[in-house]
Amino acid sequence: MFECKEKVAVCGHRGERVHGMENTMTAMKRAVDLGVDMIETDVRMSRDGNLFLMHNKELSDLTSGSGFVSDHTYEELRNMNAAVHASPTEDFDVPSCEPIASLDELLELAADHPDLMLNIELKDMPSVNGAFAYESADRTASTLARHGVGKRTWINSFSGALVQHIHHVYGDEFHYHGFYPWPIMGTMDTEPESFCDVACMLNWKMRDDGTFDTSTISVPCPQRWYTTLLRKGIMPLTTSFYTSMETYDDAVRWGSRIIMADDPKKMLDYFRKKGLHS
């Protein structure tokens, strides 16, 4: 079962998303400085085998570039500006130009914060990228292992086959994070509850064709899901997409000890006032 020194662990979603700098090193450092317990990020591989932090498929959504991460080399990606949507606030300034962050940069930051947990989503998908996705996953896992962060890292993907593959190769060197209900992860040879100790719950509705309607993502998950996971020794992770803070109160009351936060400052302040975080 997931353990944390805090009563509630706050996980910075893509570092933080308040200032238009998600998945940049500015966002990661900001989240760490605020006091998050965990960083969630997304990893994609470049054409020449380097690993970058990027959620969206289209580079034009978040950077000055275009195409996909897999279309470009390391040098091309590092020359793109990941601060095109930067939005400063009174309490935090942001740069006007910053390169796309690499996984190595994040791991260098993590080395300075040995209690910081990592939640790594594998974004190159077998259904889209085929063998390239498995190479990306293997390189990600080997990089994490080389940096010695396995015991504080949760690996996840919406491709259950990909997570299963990493578990088959690395076993207990990492923790594993699934998505619940389990059909969200697609077809797997192994039951995810046999090796996942954290599960992010998403209240998506399954269509008749087996795909999911993601427009329901902001609908709170039912208490019975928390109960089911906890009985199996799996920690429910509560998503960052709820607008009502009372929803997070319910989640904690029902047993969730990991809360994802787009705005870590707001979430940490909230739980600190309740005596649930130092």
Side-chain angles (χ1 to χ4, degrees), residues 22-235:
E22 66 174 63
N23 274 332
T24 63
M25 289 311 299
T26 292
M28 301 303 169
K29 292 173 183 175
R30 168 69 167 168
V32 169
D33 289 345
L34 288 169
V36 299
D37 307 284
M38 178 185 281
I39 289 283
E40 185 275 346
T41 191
D42 312 279
V43 176
R44 295 182 185 272
M45 188 170 72
S46 68
R47 192 175 74 210
D48 53 357
N50 289 282
L51 302 169
F52 286 87
L53 311 186
M54 181 62 56
H55 178 271
N56 292 26
K57 283 197 300 184
E58 292 281 352
L59 286 163
S60 58
D61 292 343
L62 298 169
T63 78
S64 61
S66 62
F68 305 148
V69 171
S70 57
D71 294 334
H72 296 278
T73 66
Y74 176 89
E75 291 299 330
E76 289 168 345
L77 290 161
R78 290 292 280 180
N79 284 320
M80 295 176 189
N81 183 12
V84 292
H85 299 300
S87 177
T89 54
E90 287 186 3
D91 66 335
F92 189 67
D93 198 10
V94 292
S96 59
C97 188
E98 180 169 338
I100 300 174
S102 69
L103 178 59
D104 280 330
E105 286 181 297
L106 174 61
L107 296 178
E108 288 168 9
L109 176 66
D112 294 331
H113 300 275
D115 292 331
L116 179 68
M117 295 177 282
L118 302 172
N119 195 316
I120 305 294
E121 182 173 343
L122 307 172
K123 294 301 286 188
D124 290 317
M125 300 288 283
S127 59
V128 177
N129 305 100
F132 183 92
Y134 284 92
E135 182 184 354
S136 175
D138 286 334
R139 287 188 182 231
T140 299
S142 65
T143 299
L144 293 165
R146 186 174 71 251
H147 281 263
V149 296
K151 293 302 182 184
R152 52 175 168 138
T153 297
W154 278 257
I155 289 180
N156 79 82
S157 174
F158 283 99
S159 167
L162 210 54
V163 181
Q164 181 179 276
H165 166 71
I166 296 300
H167 177 256
H168 177 74
V169 174
Y170 286 89
D172 293 339
E173 183 160 351
F174 299 109
H175 298 275
Y176 301 90
H177 157 174
F179 290 92
Y180 190 85
W182 303 125
I184 290 173
M185 299 175 70
T187 303
M188 300 176 66
D189 296 330
T190 307
E191 290 296 326
E193 60 193 41
S194 69
F195 63 90
C196 292
D197 63 351
V198 167
C200 177
M201 299 174 299
L202 297 170
N203 203 359
W204 292 348
K205 305 301 181 186
M206 184 182 286
R207 302 185 181 98
D208 292 340
D209 64 0
T211 62
F212 287 87
D213 175 10
T214 61
S215 66
T216 57
I217 196 167
S218 61
V219 178
C221 298
Q223 182 178 2
R224 68 179 183 278
W225 289 8
Y226 292 81
T227 302
T228 297
L229 290 170
L230 288 166
R231 283 176 177 168
K232 295 178 182 295
I234 301 168
M235 177 55 64

